[in-house]
């Protein structure tokens, strides 16, 4: 048995709807600008340029239902997204086999310190300080694909304090889920436990302490997150 020199970090484990078993997280990939209307609102051309990804840390995923307003920002934005959980992976995964690696889906938020991200963009620097902070990815229970079927269309909405802020349809993704899996596997080795946040529709905007965010999508129910 391996002896460790320091305390071992806990495995990040997410709840699965209808099961006592948990989903262990290995890596978190997030795609940028994957809905045309959101690319336009962020000042970019929605033409289909190659996809780009950034990463969050596994323990940024937070199923607690609370989002503590992070320090060093006065412009924290919600980005409602569907997270795709993988049960297996590999490299150079062909497009027609990509969906066979999906374990399930969950509602999630790619919370963003937009002011910090904007400053990094201007300087051509990486985005982690704006994207990969503590508890930056609230996530709901995982719904296995065996119960939802493949989710390639259907409404996704985000309300803040009951008012609709983001509205889109999963069929508006510029890069579809199988394309993201196949593309990522050309550059990285994907594996069981990997999570892909699939991008956000238009309507991103700021939140404040005390707000209640409510994200919903067909087949994935509704998840409420309170900003504390
Ligand atoms: Mn995002």
């Amino acid at each position: 048995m391996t002896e460790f020199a320091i305390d071992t970090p806990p495995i990040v484990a997410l709840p699965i709807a209808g099961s006592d078993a948990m989903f262990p997280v290995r890596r978190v990939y997030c795609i940028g600008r994957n809905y045309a209307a959101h690319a336009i609102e962020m000042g970019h051309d929605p033409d289909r340029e190659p996809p780009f990804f950034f990463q969050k840390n596994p323990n940024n995923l937070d199923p607690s239902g609370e989002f503590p307003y992070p320090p060093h920002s006065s412009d924290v934005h919600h980005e409602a997204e569907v997270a795709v959980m993988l049960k297996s992976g590999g490299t150079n995964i062909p497009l027609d086999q990509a969906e066979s690696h999906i374990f399930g889906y969950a509602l999630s938020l790619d919370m963003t310190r937009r002011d910090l991200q904007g400053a990094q963009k201007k300087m051509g620097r990486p985005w982690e300080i704006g994207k990969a902070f503590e508890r930056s990815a609230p996530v709901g229970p995982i719904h296995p694909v065996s119960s939802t079927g493949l989710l390639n269309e259907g409404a996704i909405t985000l309300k803040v304090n009951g008012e609709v802020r983001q509205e889109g349809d999963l069929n508006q993704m510029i890069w579809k889920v199988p394309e993201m899996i196949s593309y990522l596997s050309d550059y990285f080795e994907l594996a069981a436990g990997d999570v892909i946040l699939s991008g956000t529709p238009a309507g991103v905007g700021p939140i404040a302490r005390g707000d209640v965010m409510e994200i919903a999508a067909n087949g994935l129910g509704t998840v409420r997150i309170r900003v504390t």
Side-chain angles (χ1 to χ4, degrees), residues 92-114:
N92 304 312
I93 297 170
L95 196 54
D96 64 359
Q97 288 170 30
E99 288 174 317
S100 69
H101 296 285
I102 297 174
F103 173 79
Y105 307 90
L107 296 171
S108 67
L109 285 161
D110 166 19
M111 298 304 294
T112 303
R113 293 196 278 213
R114 192 72 75 201

Side-chain angles (χ1 to χ4, degrees), residues 30-33 38 54 79 81 110 112 131 197 199-200:
C30 310
I31 191 168
R33 290 173 215 142
H38 172 62
F54 57 92
E79 296 190 1
E81 313 206 359
D110 166 19
T112 303
K131 287 288 195 179
L197 268 61
T200 196

Side-chain angles (χ1 to χ4, degrees), residues 4-208:
F4 294 101
I6 59 168
D7 290 345
T8 54
I11 293 171
V12 176
L14 300 176
I16 299 168
S19 171
D20 291 332
M22 304 287 277
F23 180 87
V25 178
R26 175 176 177 267
R27 292 184 186 170
V28 183
Y29 296 97
C30 310
I31 191 168
R33 290 173 215 142
N34 201 29
Y35 287 75
H38 172 62
I40 291 167
E41 78 177 349
M42 297 304 287
H44 297 278
D45 187 332
D47 282 352
R48 191 168 144 118
E49 50 189 28
F52 72 92
F53 294 85
F54 57 92
Q55 284 176 271
K56 294 205 183 208
N57 300 296
N59 64 359
N60 294 155
L61 291 169
D62 179 5
S64 73
E66 280 194 5
F67 173 72
Y69 200 96
H72 302 297
S73 178
S74 55
D75 192 27
V76 177
H77 281 203
H78 53 74
E79 296 190 1
E81 313 206 359
V82 168
V84 182
M85 280 68 183
L86 302 188
K87 65 180 178 187
S88 53
T91 54
N92 304 312
I93 297 170
L95 196 54
D96 64 359
Q97 288 170 30
E99 288 174 317
S100 69
H101 296 285
I102 297 174
F103 173 79
Y105 307 90
L107 296 171
S108 67
L109 285 161
D110 166 19
M111 298 304 294
T112 303
R113 293 196 278 213
R114 192 72 75 201
D115 40 5
L116 299 190
Q117 183 201 25
Q120 296 298 102
K121 276 185 189 177
K122 261 187 207 145
M123 294 186 286
R125 289 179 180 169
W127 290 4
E128 278 83 356
I129 204 166
K131 287 288 195 179
F133 55 92
E134 304 314 318
R135 300 174 74 174
S136 58
V139 61
I142 298 167
H143 296 264
V145 68
S146 54
S147 63
T148 62
L150 294 167
L151 292 184
N152 293 315
E153 59 182 0
I156 175 169
T157 59
L158 178 90
K159 294 179 187 173
V160 177
N161 303 329
E163 183 185 314
V164 176
R165 294 272 189 89
Q166 290 192 260
E167 240 180 335
D169 192 294
L170 302 185
N171 68 14
Q172 296 165 343
M173 286 183 197
I174 297 170
W175 293 90
K176 310 299 182 195
V177 170
E179 292 175 315
M180 284 186 257
I181 293 170
S182 178
Y183 185 93
L184 277 169
S185 77
D186 285 348
Y187 289 86
F188 302 95
E189 183 169 349
L190 296 179
D194 287 352
V195 175
I196 302 169
L197 268 61
S198 59
T200 196
V204 301
I207 46 88

